[in-house]
């Protein structure tokens, strides 16, 4: 993909979602880390409903350790995979206290050492909490990148991340991450993407394919 096409995609998404941002409600790096950990295979909306009470009850890593695991499980039971996530949270908090003096580490390499924290979570935390440019690839970013041809259909999540980092200016990584999410969450949805009104249809291989199939069905209905 030529640089001009990438620029067109970035500028169009900027026009569509100029205020794109992290929708997980948090007040510090620690809360953000917990929220992103909880968001795996779960919507931000559900996470925010749970953390509204969770973050009032637990304000420090020590608070999460001081309760029985079963109590924490009940506090997050509306979240998918809540039992595993409760274990990760308590183990993460122990590690933050024992190895990082009670503060969430500020570097990617240290963050991924924490239980339950993978590439996506670490990239979200460093970019949103500490202002370090990063691109976190979630399901929306992956889907949109592949549909638009910014990445290959068979690329792994890591390959998608590397290709986006290579094609997008570093100082735009974080904003682009948010805009790709908004574009995928509110426009280029998994099941019903709004191809017919999409300003990026001219460069979207998936959109062109879908529109051709739609036209063929209409033609058949007319003939039939």
């Amino acid at each position: 993909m030529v640089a001009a096409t990438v620029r067109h995609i970035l500028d169009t998404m900027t026009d569509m979602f100029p205020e794109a941002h992290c929708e997980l409600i948090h007040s510090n790096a620690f809360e953000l880390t917990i929220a992103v950990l909880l968001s795996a295979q779960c919507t931000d909306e559900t996470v925010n409903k749970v953390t509204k009470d969770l973050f009032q009850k637990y304000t420090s890593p020590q608070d999460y350790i001081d309760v029985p695991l079963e109590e924490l499980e009940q506090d997050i039971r509306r979240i998918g995979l809540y039992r595993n996530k409760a274990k990760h949270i308590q183990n993460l908090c122990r590690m933050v206290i024992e190895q990082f003096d009670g503060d969430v580490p500020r570097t990617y390499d240290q963050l991924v050492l924490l239980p339950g924290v993978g590439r996506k979570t670490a990239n979200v935390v460093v970019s949103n909490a500490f202002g370090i440019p990063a691109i976190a690839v979630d399901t929306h970013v992956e889907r949109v990148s592949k549909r638009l041809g910014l990445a290959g259909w068979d690329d792994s999540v890591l390959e998608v991340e590397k290709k986006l980092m290579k094609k997008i200016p570093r100082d735009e990584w974080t904003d682009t991450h948010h805009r790709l999410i908004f574009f995928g969450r509110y426009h280029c949805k998994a099941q019903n993407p709004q191809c017919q009104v999409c300003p990026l249809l001219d460069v979207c291989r998936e959109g062109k394919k879908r529109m051709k199939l739609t036209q063929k069905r209409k033609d058949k209905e007319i003939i039939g």
Side-chain angles (χ1 to χ4, degrees):
M1 179 178 287
V2 298
T5 302
V6 175
R7 188 70 262 164
H8 170 57
I9 291 172
L10 299 181
D11 290 344
T12 300
M13 287 189 183
T14 299
D15 291 339
M16 292 178 70
F17 302 105
E19 303 300 325
H21 59 280
C22 177
E23 293 192 297
L24 291 170
I25 299 172
H26 63 281
S27 59
N28 54 55
F30 176 62
E31 288 186 353
L32 178 60
T33 304
I34 298 298
V36 182
L37 188 157
L38 291 173
S39 72
Q41 299 182 42
C42 184
T43 66
D44 287 0
E45 183 180 7
T46 299
V47 173
N48 287 335
K49 289 178 180 178
V50 171
T51 57
K52 182 179 181 181
D53 294 327
L54 192 74
F55 290 162
Q56 289 185 351
K57 179 177 180 179
Y58 305 94
T59 61
S60 71
Q62 189 64 49
D63 290 341
Y64 286 95
I65 299 173
D66 287 342
V67 300
L69 177 62
E70 294 75 18
E71 182 175 342
L72 179 55
E73 288 178 351
Q74 288 304 306
D75 288 335
I76 64 170
R77 67 188 311 275
R78 284 181 289 172
I79 300 284
L81 306 174
Y82 70 93
R83 287 193 174 90
N84 281 336
K85 291 177 180 178
K87 291 178 184 177
H88 284 321
I89 289 173
Q90 286 199 334
N91 290 331
L92 178 152
C93 289
R94 289 190 185 94
M95 190 169 182
V96 165
I97 291 170
E98 294 169 4
Q99 297 189 29
F100 300 104
D101 297 322
D103 294 320
V104 171
R106 302 176 66 92
T107 70
Y108 171 88
D109 289 339
Q110 290 176 320
L111 280 164
V112 292
L113 296 176
L114 299 175
V117 175
R119 293 188 66 86
K120 186 195 83 169
T121 300
N123 280 329
V124 170
V125 173
V126 297
S127 61
N128 288 279
F130 303 126
I132 300 170
I135 295 178
V137 180
D138 69 353
T139 180
H140 299 298
V141 174
E142 181 179 9
R143 180 176 69 255
V144 170
S145 297
K146 291 182 176 181
R147 283 179 173 176
L148 288 173
L150 291 167
W153 289 119
D154 298 324
D155 285 348
S156 65
V157 171
L158 178 57
E159 288 170 332
V160 172
E161 180 184 331
K162 288 182 176 179
K163 287 185 177 180
L164 291 175
M165 290 169 68
K166 185 176 180 179
K167 294 174 180 177
I168 299 167
R170 188 174 186 275
D171 62 352
E172 296 181 45
W173 285 356
T174 299
D175 286 339
T176 298
H177 156 71
H178 293 311
R179 286 167 188 153
L180 284 167
I181 290 177
F182 269 52
F183 188 82
R185 181 175 289 161
Y186 302 114
H187 180 78
C188 189
K189 301 177 182 179
Q191 298 302 322
N192 295 299
Q194 300 176 41
C195 302
Q196 67 278 7
V197 295
C198 184
L200 289 175
L201 181 61
D202 59 326
V203 297
C204 181
R205 54 186 180 179
E206 174 74 7
K208 290 176 181 177
K209 179 182 176 181
R210 285 175 178 268
M211 293 303 289
K212 284 183 180 179
L213 291 173
T214 300
Q215 188 59 50
K216 284 183 178 180
R217 284 196 294 268
K218 291 180 178 178
D219 292 343
K220 285 183 178 180
E221 290 173 1
I222 294 174
I223 294 173

